[in-house]
Amino acid sequence: MDIEPSFFETNPQAGAVGQPLDRVDGRAKVTGQAKYSAEYNQLPGLTHAVLKTSDVAKGRITGFDTSAALKQPGVLAILTHQNLPKLAKTPNDADGKKAIGAPMGFLPLTTDQIHYAGQPVAVVVADTLERAQHAAALLKVQYAAEKPLASYEDPKAELFDPEAVQDGKTKGHTVRGNPKAAFAAAPVQLTHKYDHAINHHNPMEPGATTAHWEAADRLTIYESTQGVSRTQKSVSTMLGLSAEQVRVVTKYLGGGFGCKGSAWPHTILTVQAARAVGRPVKLSLTRPQMFTSMGHREDQTQTLRLGATKDGKLTALIHEKTSTTSPWDNYAEPNSKIINLLYECPNFEASYQLARANVMTSTFMRAPGEAPGSFALECSMDDLAYELGIDPLEIRLRNYAEKDPSTGQAWSSKSLKQCYARGAELFGWSKRNPKAGATRDGRLLVGWGMATASYPVHNSQGTARARLYADGHAVVQAGATDLGTGTYTVMTQVAADALGLPVDKVRFELGDTKLPTAPNSGGSVAAGTVSSSVYMAVQDVWQKLIKAAVLDKKSPLYRAKPADVEVKQGRLQLKADPKKGEEFGALMKRAEIGDVEGNGQGRYGSGYEDAQAAANADPSKKDEAAHHSMHSFGAHFCEVKVDPELGTVRVTRWVSVHGAGRILNAKTARSQIIGGSIFGIGCALMESTFRDPNYSRYTNASLADYHIPVNADIPDMTVEFVEEHDPYINAMGVKGIGEISMVGVAAAVANAVFHATGKRVRSLPITPNKILETKAASA
């Protein structure tokens, strides 16, 4: 099939797309009909599993005392490394890790070795949850404990320079130009260190797996995952089965933020337990186990050296990052990427150092790399502005990058200047007092800060299926996941407009590996990829109906050339004479076509060739998309009020403006930006997991002690999008917004705190003790 014109050409005044449609899954959620992965309770013979986890962070298991636990009624099995069914392949070796995929890296219950506190050492299965919990408490485990390492800050930690970080996708050392010489020659030189605490995702729904072996070689998993296809691949590889023998279902997800982006040990352990007892098994992680089972954002220190001219033009950026990783991986967030491209700078260098410690592996967490990287860069840009007496917004405009400095490529679209202007207007930035520490509201110090946001378009592709029925309804399917951000809703809108149907005549189905393959909901790729896949599947439907029409003697389009026929709001008509045509329903009923199925592949990123250029077969533009740098951009503006006696910081006003391509739903998009911004405010002011340096155990592994924002902590937030048409990223012109909503947020808060107090805090979170320490140091 020839590539069709893009959505913009065929739907210049689309009806549903962009509108603030209420969530189509909203009623199911508020009435309890939505079934999450731990709620498949009707499976025959369902049993319950509980993890027994290690109290020590390093050592080995020397024995088990299972006698008391096994005597308990209803206990079906206690599975350890001594009796757990073996797997065809595990991530414990290099070949297995590559096949299964990071970040799991190490699978517990395959050895007696203990690598981190909270590591599963046994799975207890019983006929009720309470009996499994009681038996797990009675199970005794003996250890030969060793002294653990807790972080890169331990004096005994051995730092090393990785060749690559984040699954090998980012080089451990990058140089552009001659940054050291440029920094040494710069009239203005700033060098500062930025610390970032450990963060945990803490979605409302903990990780959960329900595994059901329907036959010896047929498995269904109801899994709390951001990607059913990725989980299917990981599990089938470990089991030595084909992907078709493993079905993964995730109809609803209670948040993920990255921690559900990959398969984790509890999933395969549940599958093994179900095979061992010959019955379906459900395992739900406890809240404390969420801190040791599904990754985290690593503790890290960044050092940024910034060189500039007296008029504020950047001449050099040198970035160094040091962080903690697990005993088996080289994972580190690629913080340097955003520093390399956000502003025009001819000289750049980035390097990473890691230290292995006795911790669970870290993993993707909302805007991995861009969020912490922007904290260092955007605070440094503010420092430069204050150093030179230039407005913080102006310093960013003076270093505005018209092309991607990291590649030299033109942007596929960039609306950052419009975001700056609109955000400043909404916030009233022109009224800002340029002097730090000079604005008060009674006894409270008032500060205004801002920061730039950006997130890349990651290359992705997926497939979708659309079935249009003669009676005027349609079913559209893709194996995507709805994180809770509105995928059900926006894909219904896309399908409705592409089909020319009312929204209530379209049903969108997702979350099952039996459906066409789609990418993970992560990295801001789902909206662009799945919407394009849905659009292309509908085009396949129309191509088939056009062919049927031009061959039908009773059709007004009989003998017309297919290329001369267009579809407008479900009507097939001649482009040159729109009056000559018919509704699809009339054609299908006359031809006794009950339904028509179409399939399509959608691309997101540089793999997508500009649809109109391809349709016109213009060789000079065929690969034009691949020569563009693709990113979303935005700006955050923040007001804080600081109590100088208590050290408390409250965000009292917030404005975010973003340029993110075509917005599919004004209401869910706004909600997503608000949610990501709140996530960033939590990172800036509250969130921190404390790992005991002696025992490498978390001391605040609960939502009572791990502080996150609540409604009382957040003001009314103003969110807007600037109109942006990007012809290169995909057929829909859609960019993701899940990550950009958090990028720059912590910096905007920190910059506002500096403006309020005149003192810079470079350690996250900015808790009252740090405000008071800064005050005391300046006294």
Side-chain angles (χ1 to χ4, degrees), residues 17 476 490-501 506 508 534-535 538:
V17 169
V476 183
V490 297
M491 297 312 155
T492 300
Q493 292 173 266
V494 170
D497 276 6
L499 289 162
L501 296 176
V506 177
F508 181 70
V534 167
Y535 173 75
V538 172

Side-chain angles (χ1 to χ4, degrees), residues 421-746:
R422 181 57 176 159
E425 177 186 7
L426 290 169
F427 193 79
W429 186 259
S430 62
K431 300 176 183 179
R432 171 182 173 275
N433 186 333
K435 186 177 180 181
T439 306
R440 285 183 176 267
D441 178 8
R443 58 186 293 273
L444 301 179
L445 300 171
V446 180
W448 289 7
M450 58 84 57
T452 309
S454 180
Y455 195 75
V457 170
H458 294 299
N459 294 341
S460 179
Q461 67 180 38
T463 53
R465 179 166 55 237
R467 179 165 289 179
L468 177 63
Y469 292 84
D471 65 1
H473 82 279
V475 176
V476 183
Q477 302 168 316
T481 306
D482 192 331
L483 269 166
T485 51
T487 304
Y488 274 114
T489 305
V490 297
M491 297 312 155
T492 300
Q493 292 173 266
V494 170
D497 276 6
L499 289 162
L501 296 176
V503 168
D504 61 3
K505 295 296 184 181
V506 177
R507 184 173 79 249
F508 181 70
E509 298 178 349
L510 53 67
D512 195 327
T513 50
K514 285 189 173 181
L515 303 179
T517 303
N520 269 29
S521 285
S524 297
V525 305
T529 309
V530 180
S531 65
S532 297
S533 301
V534 167
Y535 173 75
M536 297 306 289
V538 172
Q539 300 313 302
D540 191 28
V541 169
W542 292 134
Q543 290 295 315
K544 291 176 180 178
L545 285 176
I546 288 171
K547 289 178 181 178
V550 300
L551 294 174
D552 185 349
K553 293 181 179 180
K554 296 182 179 180
S555 172
L557 301 171
Y558 179 56
R559 288 188 174 179
K561 293 180 180 180
D564 294 338
V565 179
E566 64 180 1
V567 181
K568 295 286 188 180
Q569 297 297 310
R571 174 181 165 82
L572 286 69
Q573 59 193 32
L574 285 178
K575 296 176 182 177
D577 184 7
K579 294 181 180 180
K580 193 171 185 179
E582 62 180 328
E583 301 292 330
F584 73 86
L587 168 66
M588 293 176 69
K589 290 174 183 177
R590 184 177 64 251
E592 297 184 346
I593 301 173
D595 61 82
V596 178
E597 180 180 296
N599 294 275
Q601 182 181 77
R603 297 180 182 272
Y604 182 58
S606 60
Y608 172 73
E609 296 176 356
D610 175 49
Q612 193 61 53
N616 294 336
D618 183 348
S620 67
K621 294 185 178 181
K622 185 176 181 181
D623 298 320
E624 192 171 348
H627 300 296
H628 283 79
S629 184
M630 301 179 179
H631 292 257
S632 298
F633 292 93
H636 303 290
F637 293 80
C638 171
E639 178 187 83
V640 299
K641 293 185 178 179
V642 181
D643 188 318
E645 302 302 322
L646 299 177
T648 54
V649 179
R650 295 191 66 84
V651 175
T652 49
R653 282 199 301 136
W654 189 268
V655 171
S656 288
V657 180
H658 295 281
R662 188 180 186 90
I663 301 302
L664 295 175
N665 182 308
K667 182 182 292 186
T668 59
R670 177 179 179 273
S671 177
Q672 200 166 2
I673 295 294
I674 289 174
S677 297
I678 293 172
F679 206 98
I681 292 170
C683 170
L685 298 178
M686 303 175 189
E687 296 190 45
S688 175
T689 317
F690 183 75
R691 188 185 297 136
D692 184 279
N694 296 309
Y695 299 100
S696 196
R697 292 196 298 242
Y698 295 120
T699 62
N700 61 332
S702 73
L703 289 184
D705 298 313
Y706 182 92
H707 296 165
I708 59 174
V710 297
N711 286 345
D713 299 310
I714 303 298
D716 288 339
M717 306 179 87
T718 300
V719 173
E720 283 194 9
F721 297 93
V722 300
E723 287 192 20
E724 186 176 79
H725 178 194
D726 193 316
Y728 302 108
I729 49 174
N730 50 48
M732 290 293 298
V734 171
K735 296 178 180 178
I737 57 175
E739 321 286 334
I740 195 174
S741 54
M742 185 183 179
V743 179
V745 171

